[in-house]
Amino acid sequence: MGGLIIPLHSSQTQKSHHATAGSAASTVSSAGSDTLPSGYAAQNATSTSTDPTATLAAGASSVAPTPSKGLQISLVNKMASNNIKMYMSGLDMNGSLIFLDQSGKWFYPQANGTTPQPIPSNVEFSLGGANTSLNFMTPGYIRSARIWISQGSLSFFSVATPDGPGLVQPAAVNPDDPNTLINYGFAEFDWEPLSGLYADITAVDFVGLPLGMELIDTDDNRFTALGTPANAAPVLCDMLKRQEDGVSPWGDLCVYNAAGEVIRVISPGNLVAQEPTAFDGIFDDYVNHVYAHYSFADLTIITQTDYGNVTCRVLDDDQFHCDGDNRGYPKPSAADIFGCNSGPFAIMKGDNAVHYAIVPRLCAAFNRATLLLPGGDQQPGPRPPTFYTAAPNNWYSAFTHQLEVGGGGYAFSYDDVELSHADSAAGLLASMNPEELVIYVGGS
């Protein structure tokens, strides 16, 4: 069985300090694996339902929610289909895996041993036909949550881990996953008592079934991240194919269903996870020029923390070294740049706060190819209109933002790096006093 197994608190592990919610690059379990990779724990999710007659599968439990404040959520179906399904997964406030079930309570999947066990269908909701809505309130707070939307049913599994049941979720990059040929997407959010609501739509892993989002607060202020249009996947596929030069396999990011139709476009980092040599060397010349330039010029990282502006320079060991940082930054590969979590961008035990601040800003600069632009000696510094204007860059991210209504929505892990909130490309919505979160299914 293929699938993704979610690290505990995964939505927090690979974003810059700006956001407290969002998608981290998930760890792909090997095809056919029935065990949880070392170091990974359960993710929990919740689900609610309007069907009071739903029953529970053997080996699972549904419990009354801990007293806490629910979040009103509405899903609007804008697709010409009556086969749209919804699932909500996440973690409760104790870090346990949960789904929203059809009884309106948190459902706690059980797991006995390392053989994946199917999560029962009582966590599945139908949206109804075109232009209909599904409205519900969560039983309480939830973190690291995902709202999954699919055209057809998805399969989820739980496995036992040292920290409790772990979630094996759909893996868009694994051809052995039974969900691969299903058109789906997801939105992410955290709803917690001290930090309020953080929500985003994300293309960090792939562009698939299009979703948009609107947050309405108790003062009737409205905030939107309207996402991609209905035809985003095939259009993005065509845009990427035009970047192929015999070396860079941008067209290989396109995923087709049995009818030969493009149903999603995966991120380059996810392609590299499956084909490690994909994109080898495409950034080498650019990286070499960057390191040569900053061997005689200063790079200033604006940490946007108490550490202020930090000066960096490439020294004789051919690594960036930054004032107050505990270690340097060797030259990144394409895989390091796309993933932002390996090579010089891997966060290690013992790294200090300066290092934590520099990693997202430096990796974002490489993805956006802004380090050699005028003003690029300050990061973040160049404004969004200059992002992706130099080559090579992360064309997947560039074109995804071109397609997104308003340009907002994560397209790589540190897409929330910006000099000011007005420049944000992340599409992150937040409020301490939300009235309603609306998800538009099928394009805004």
Side-chain angles (χ1 to χ4, degrees), residues 349-374:
K349 184 177 180 179
D351 284 337
N352 62 20
V354 173
H355 197 86
Y356 271 79
I358 289 174
V359 164
R361 291 157 179 80
L362 192 58
C363 193
F366 275 107
N367 274 276
R368 296 164 175 167
T370 58
L371 284 158
L372 298 178
L373 297 179

Side-chain angles (χ1 to χ4, degrees), residues 167-343:
L167 175 63
V168 184
Q169 69 180 17
V173 298
N174 189 343
D176 294 322
D177 188 324
N179 301 293
T180 299
L181 297 182
I182 296 174
N183 187 17
Y184 69 91
F186 57 83
E188 302 176 313
F189 71 96
D190 276 75
W191 170 229
E192 301 189 51
L194 296 181
S195 56
L197 175 66
Y198 283 85
D200 67 84
I201 50 177
T202 177
V204 170
D205 294 322
F206 62 90
V207 171
L209 192 151
L211 302 174
M213 181 180 291
E214 182 176 28
L215 170 61
I216 305 166
D217 69 15
T218 53
D219 293 324
D220 203 32
N221 296 309
R222 295 172 179 262
F223 311 93
T224 59
L226 295 180
T228 55
N231 62 346
V235 172
L236 177 58
C237 178
D238 288 342
M239 296 170 78
L240 289 169
K241 284 181 175 180
R242 290 197 289 269
Q243 299 304 313
E244 290 193 320
D245 53 9
V247 177
S248 306
W250 293 105
D252 290 354
L253 303 183
C254 306
V255 178
Y256 301 85
N257 64 15
E261 302 165 329
V262 177
I263 57 171
R264 75 180 58 88
V265 178
I266 63 173
S267 68
N270 275 329
L271 179 63
V272 171
Q274 299 297 303
E275 301 176 20
T277 60
F279 296 104
D280 267 3
I282 69 163
F283 284 100
D284 286 359
D285 287 346
Y286 180 76
V287 168
N288 288 335
H289 280 107
V290 168
Y291 275 66
H293 176 77
Y294 289 106
S295 67
F296 60 83
D298 288 340
L299 173 65
T300 300
I301 301 292
I302 303 174
T303 69
Q304 296 160 296
T305 70
D306 292 342
Y307 294 94
N309 296 349
V310 173
T311 300
C312 305
R313 180 73 74 96
V314 175
L315 302 183
D316 291 341
D317 62 356
D318 215 20
Q319 296 188 37
F320 269 109
H321 290 270
C322 304
D323 293 346
D325 203 333
N326 60 286
R327 60 189 177 96
Y329 300 84
K331 292 179 179 179
S333 66
D336 300 333
I337 291 169
F338 289 140
C340 288
N341 62 350
S342 62

Side-chain angles (χ1 to χ4, degrees), residues 142-167:
I142 180 173
R143 54 191 172 93
S144 300
R146 283 184 174 180
I147 295 175
W148 303 82
I149 306 293
S150 58
Q151 193 166 11
S153 296
L154 293 175
S155 299
F156 298 85
F157 300 83
S158 59
V159 293
T161 80
D163 299 298
L167 175 63

Side-chain angles (χ1 to χ4, degrees), residues 405-422:
V405 178
Y410 282 96
F412 66 94
S413 296
Y414 292 127
D415 218 356
D416 54 356
V417 168
E418 75 272 338
L419 193 58
S420 69
H421 181 70

Side-chain angles (χ1 to χ4, degrees), residues 44 46-48 62-71 91-96 98-100 104-108 137-142 191-193:
N44 299 342
T46 63
S47 89
T48 60
S62 184
V63 301
T66 300
S68 62
K69 186 178 180 181
L71 175 67
L91 302 172
D92 72 6
M93 293 300 97
N94 295 316
S96 297
I98 53 176
F99 272 77
L100 184 65
K105 300 176 182 178
W106 294 142
F107 171 75
Y108 287 76
M137 181 171 289
T138 68
Y141 294 112
I142 180 173
W191 170 229
E192 301 189 51

